[in-house]
Amino acid sequence: MSLKDLERLKQQATDAQKNKTDIQIVVNMGSCSMAKNAGDTYDAIADEIKKRGLEQVEIIKTGCFGMCESEPLIEIIKKGQPKVTYGKITPDKARHIVASHIVNDQVVGELVLSVDE
Amino acid sequence: MEFYRAHVLVCGGSPCVTLGCKAVREEIERLVKEKRLEREICIIETGCLGACEEGPIVVVYPDGTVYSKVNIDAAREIVNEHLVRGRPVKRLQYKGKLTSVSRTENKSKDYFQTQKRVVLENVGLINPNNIDDYILKDGYKILEETLDHLSPEEVVNTIKRSGLRGRGGAGFPTGTKLGVTARTTADQKYIVCNADEGEPGTYKDRIIMEGDPHKILEGMALCGYAVGATKGYVYIRGEYYQSIATIRTAIEQARELGLLGTNLFDSGFDFDVEIKEGAGSYVCGEETALIQSMEGKRGEATQKPPYPSTSGLWGKPTVVINVETVANIVPILKHGVDWYKSLGTPSSSGTKIFTLSGNVNNRGLIEVPMGIPLREIIYGIGGGISGGRSFKMAQIGGTAGGCLSEAQLDTPLDYENLQTVGSSLGSGAILVVDDSHCIVDVACSMLNFFAHESCGQCTPCREGTSRLLQTFRKLSEFTATKEDLDLAIKLARVMQRTSLCASGQSPIMPLEGIMQNFASEIEAHLNQECPAGVCHKSAHKTLGKEAVING
Ligand SMILES: Cc1cc2nc3c(=O)[nH]c(=O)nc-3n(C[C@H](O)[C@H](O)[C@H](O)COP(=O)(O)O)c2cc1C
Ligand code: SF4
């Protein structure tokens, strides 16, 4: 590994970022999240995405964000829109969010923790 | 695989229900079924779409046509024209703008306003199992630059000047520690990252490991370069399965790219990391006990000096550094000493991660600049005491930390100020206790922990912790006398002076706080009374009745 290699890797990652899908669903999967069944939430989202054939959606697993009280926590990032964070997302609520927010651009207000402009 | 060619949203927010959207939705559902379109068209009831005066609202996707004031007839027309023939019904379309995003409340605003994320900058934002995500955030670039431009002495000096102090409990200046190991000559030196995290109510290290593992590996490599160590170990608590898995993946990915291993960035510097799984006792977090455990011996503390910095793992100079401490190394070298010192207070620079637990609304983990008053954490970020009760006590820094009362809520949280109120920053745990708990009961719970975790090696701690617990249990059964209590405090002071490690030395810390700050409540127990109504005679005849507030 040299500096050049590192820069090349970063460039690749940056390019990959650019080519990233327009919609990302980030699911917190630290062990506190897992203790609150984030695994089931993840599965529900994956299932819903598959069932609906939403190929432009990417699901990303990440660590705990610190709001352990509100786990399972998910974030929806759509190109050109504010990032929306949802808390205490059970599998059912996750399916609802996919239908409403992902497919139909309607934020599910009562489940929102924050909206980052 | 089902694929819907169109989605129909019918709002079901409570104002709209009264406007008849339920009937509209049922009519649309009926018609769609009648036309056998249910496999092509998905009907969803949504929350309020923010245009209630115009309800019921129906939205048809993929084109996003919004219809307002839809009645049964309009619903039929929409199905027949729009859904079947694909021709939006212009006449019924809504001209305004839906505002559902702006209507949502920003519930987490307070949570993040006062926070300053340095160590946690990537946690929860990147994929910890993909090294590309870390590289994209300029990961391993500081390592490259440091190996290229800075001498090991310069790295040590930078850390010294930054004022970084250990986040594992003792708060020893990290730069000084690195300097000692750097100056010691030996054929082999080690970096051991302490991820045993046994302190009740503390879970920050786990979240860093699970959220941003490469920051730890890069920090360890930088420490290795600073002191001349080529080998690092992460000693992870055995129960932290997911942390172990995440760090393992990170090590593998870094090795694959040559970011760990030999001749890093063609500088001639070698550094590799291995995982050591913890054996599962509180004392194993103490640095000398940790080293014993790594060497395959019983996890018991040993006499200091010699300190690990000069004679540690296998008798070689070893830097034992906490996860949070090591995660500060990259940010310091990246943004510089001045920036780092601008965070926090003159004597305690940087940020600190606190883990909030107990009777607060927002339990979780926060990172704030040093010196924030406790009140702001509990009532601002923490969202106040849960269940509408009032504040009674907060214990800072873990079980060995001091117990602060209401009068001390304005104490700034940094190394110096906490010392003046008989506490310490410790591991950063903040346990909040509300007024439904009894202070004697809380003390029993704490002392039970110490008695249980004593490794038994030295008599003052082994016998002392059990005696302390016995006295406070007596107090909770209303059978203790003033003399018993005086003797207990005296005993705790003897333990402080004569125990081998901080586990036996520290029960005096919380006890002194309790005796001073809650004197009247203790007094009441001597008079057979428990103001909180928790204690009663013969409460502990059956073992382990203490409040479970650590969970
Ligand atoms: C009983 C006991 C338990 C400890 N547990 C931990 C622990 O779980 N994690 C930790 O980092 N330090 C723990 N420490 C502190 C370590 O001995 C040591 O000071 C620390 O790892 C040094 O790293 P730092 O300078 O980065 O804080 C413990 C100390 C004692 C006495
Ligand atoms: S003080 Fe307690 S925990 Fe520490 S070595 Fe002595 S007996 Fe073991």
Side-chain angles (χ1 to χ4, degrees):
Chain A
M1 172 69 74
S2 67
L3 176 60
K4 270 213 193 87
D5 294 334
L6 188 67
E7 273 168 357
R8 184 176 43 75
L9 276 174
K10 188 180 167 198
Q11 193 53 48
Q12 277 172 6
T14 315
D15 292 345
Q17 187 86 351
K18 271 193 213 126
N19 295 335
K20 258 201 175 144
T21 49
D22 295 350
I23 306 174
Q24 287 149 41
I25 306 180
V26 183
V27 187
N28 281 17
M29 298 190 82
S31 37
C32 45
S33 333
M34 296 307 276
K36 287 195 167 181
N37 295 334
D40 293 347
T41 302
Y42 180 90
D43 291 344
I45 294 174
D47 176 56
E48 202 68 15
I49 298 296
K50 187 166 167 248
K51 239 173 28 198
R52 290 167 181 269
L54 300 170
E55 272 148 24
Q56 79 281 25
V57 179
E58 185 187 3
I59 318 176
I60 300 164
K61 295 180 185 177
T62 184
C64 167
F65 200 50
M67 298 179 73
C68 310
E69 189 69 28
S70 302
E71 295 291 346
L73 205 96
I74 70 171
E75 292 161 3
I76 309 273
I77 305 165
K78 284 189 161 189
K79 237 183 207 161
Q81 287 185 16
K83 179 177 90 183
V84 179
T85 309
Y86 292 104
K88 298 191 181 170
I89 300 307
T90 56
D92 284 350
K93 288 178 182 166
R95 287 180 196 276
H96 179 54
I97 290 172
V98 171
S100 179
H101 190 155
I102 300 294
V103 178
N104 293 305
D105 259 336
Q106 296 304 325
V107 176
V108 187
E110 66 270 22
L111 302 177
V112 169
L113 276 179
S114 72
V115 179
D116 299 316
E117 295 300 330
Chain B
M1 194 194 299
E2 284 174 66
F3 180 75
Y4 296 110
R5 111 180 127 74
H7 287 79
V8 181
L9 267 77
V10 187
C11 70
S14 41
C16 297
V17 177
T18 52
L19 292 170
C21 59
K22 188 158 174 266
V24 168
R25 182 170 49 92
E26 281 167 4
E27 180 63 11
I28 297 178
E29 273 169 4
R30 195 185 62 78
L31 288 171
V32 163
K33 244 200 199 112
E34 190 181 284
K35 297 182 192 307
R36 297 183 197 282
L37 291 173
E38 68 262 39
R39 295 186 66 90
E40 288 174 46
I41 292 167
C42 175
I43 299 155
I44 304 159
E45 187 186 291
T46 67
C48 180
L49 301 175
C52 306
E53 324 71 59
E54 298 289 329
I57 301 269
V58 172
V59 190
V60 180
Y61 283 91
D63 42 318
T65 310
V66 182
Y67 297 106
S68 59
K69 294 188 176 161
V70 179
N71 55 23
I72 298 290
D73 288 341
R76 291 198 186 115
E77 201 172 335
I78 292 168
V79 173
N80 288 331
E81 285 297 305
H82 195 158
L83 297 182
V84 177
R85 300 199 177 82
R87 292 192 299 233
V89 191
K90 278 237 165 61
R91 185 169 48 81
L92 298 170
Q93 273 178 29
Y94 178 59
K95 310 286 181 310
K97 198 168 171 277
L98 295 183
T99 55
S100 56
V101 173
S102 59
R103 281 180 156 244
T104 58
E105 221 184 316
N106 242 350
K107 288 180 201 137
S108 67
K109 218 167 111 220
D110 287 342
Y111 199 80
F112 290 109
Q113 226 160 28
T114 20
Q115 292 204 45
K116 172 83 194 160
R117 297 208 160 199
V118 173
V119 171
L120 299 175
E121 61 183 341
N122 298 332
V123 172
L125 299 175
I126 63 169
N127 180 349
N129 292 317
N130 185 354
I131 192 169
D132 290 351
D133 274 30
Y134 185 67
I135 289 175
L136 189 67
K137 303 265 178 189
D138 280 331
Y140 291 102
K141 189 139 179 256
I142 297 301
L143 179 61
E144 191 280 329
E145 284 173 7
T146 305
L147 294 180
D148 202 28
H149 305 306
L150 294 183
S151 69
E153 296 78 46
E154 282 170 318
V155 179
V156 172
N157 281 331
T158 308
I159 303 300
K160 261 189 199 156
R161 282 191 293 121
S162 76
L164 174 65
R165 294 171 64 170
R167 306 287 198 244
F172 192 77
T174 306
T176 310
K177 188 152 77 177
L178 292 175
V180 171
T181 307
R183 277 197 309 277
T184 313
T185 38
D187 53 347
Q188 176 71 57
K189 299 179 190 177
Y190 298 105
I191 306 292
V192 173
C193 178
N194 187 345
D196 195 50
E197 199 160 61
E199 197 66 58
T202 311
Y203 44 93
K204 63 187 174 72
D205 296 345
R206 187 193 82 212
I207 290 190
I208 304 171
M209 286 188 280
E210 288 171 10
D212 198 4
H214 289 286
K215 188 178 255 138
I216 299 166
L217 300 181
E218 190 178 357
M220 286 177 72
L222 287 161
C223 289
Y225 177 67
V227 304
T230 55
K231 183 95 205 158
Y233 292 93
V234 192
Y235 185 95
I236 311 179
R237 178 178 171 157
E239 294 91 336
Y240 277 6
Y241 309 114
Q242 200 174 331
S243 304
I244 294 169
T246 313
I247 295 277
R248 180 163 290 141
T249 309
I251 292 174
E252 279 163 13
Q253 291 183 350
R255 273 189 195 147
E256 208 166 291
L257 293 179
L259 294 164
L260 287 178
T262 51
N263 194 18
L264 304 184
F265 294 107
D266 298 328
S267 65
F269 170 63
D270 304 340
F271 194 77
D272 205 353
V273 178
E274 255 179 64
I275 294 177
K276 187 87 188 78
E277 289 178 31
S281 99
Y282 174 55
V283 191
C284 281
E286 198 280 335
E287 49 191 6
T288 57
L290 183 144
I291 287 169
Q292 293 283 307
S293 149
M294 285 182 72
E295 291 176 354
K297 304 184 194 131
R298 261 183 83 136
E300 285 179 343
T302 59
Q303 194 72 257
K304 286 194 274 193
Y307 289 92
S309 331
T310 51
S311 174
L313 185 60
W314 313 115
K316 305 291 181 193
T318 303
V319 177
V320 180
I321 189 165
N322 170 259
V323 171
E324 185 187 348
T325 320
V326 84
N328 270 289
I329 305 280
V330 172
I332 292 174
L333 290 168
K334 185 170 178 180
H335 302 292
V337 168
D338 293 335
W339 168 83
Y340 193 75
K341 294 193 84 138
S342 73
L343 306 166
T345 61
S347 55
S348 308
S349 47
T351 59
K352 178 79 192 87
I353 303 178
F354 291 101
T355 46
L356 272 176
S357 60
N359 307 121
V360 276
N361 280 318
N362 301 332
R363 283 176 293 192
L365 156 121
I366 58 172
E367 182 173 2
V368 288
M370 289 273 193
I372 284 222
L374 179 57
R375 187 186 297 278
E376 202 168 323
I377 291 190
I378 295 178
Y379 288 95
I381 305 173
I385 309 297
S386 54
R389 303 206 64 107
S390 47
F391 174 85
K392 175 167 198 156
M393 185 208 88
Q395 192 178 28
I396 317 291
T399 312
C403 296
L404 308 189
S405 66
E406 176 105 44
Q408 292 156 326
L409 269 179
D410 290 311
T411 311
L413 297 181
D414 62 21
Y415 293 102
E416 277 66 33
N417 281 297
L418 279 169
Q419 216 155 31
T420 61
V421 294
S423 185
S424 75
L425 208 50
S427 59
I430 299 183
L431 171 68
V432 181
V433 177
D434 72 19
D435 60 350
S436 68
H437 293 279
C438 164
I439 202 73
V440 176
D441 197 41
V442 171
C444 287
S445 163
M446 241 141 48
L447 293 169
N448 192 16
F449 175 79
F450 283 118
H452 181 258
E453 292 296 343
S454 169
C455 78
Q457 191 184 180
C458 39
T459 318
C461 170
R462 183 184 64 237
E463 295 301 324
T465 47
S466 308
R467 289 300 148 247
L468 291 179
L469 176 59
Q470 194 181 37
T471 306
F472 275 81
R473 281 190 173 163
K474 263 174 85 181
L475 187 61
S476 80
E477 289 166 13
F478 307 135
T479 54
T481 62
K482 180 93 184 33
E483 289 69 45
D484 290 338
L485 284 184
D486 291 345
L487 191 64
I489 296 301
K490 203 167 150 191
L491 173 62
R493 292 224 170 86
V494 171
M495 288 162 63
Q496 185 181 24
R497 274 182 279 118
T498 53
S499 295
L500 192 54
C501 84
S503 190
Q505 291 160 7
S506 48
I508 187 68
M509 290 266 273
L511 284 185
E512 254 179 349
I514 286 174
M515 298 304 277
Q516 271 166 24
N517 299 332
F518 301 92
S520 62
E521 200 172 335
I522 301 283
E523 190 78 32
H525 282 78
L526 291 173
N527 296 323
Q528 322 266 317
E529 209 183 297
C530 174
V534 175
C535 304
H536 48 84
K537 277 193 166 58
S538 74
H540 292 292
K541 289 270 157 63
T542 50
L543 271 176
K545 279 258 173 140
E546 288 80 26
V548 187
I549 40 179
N550 286 334

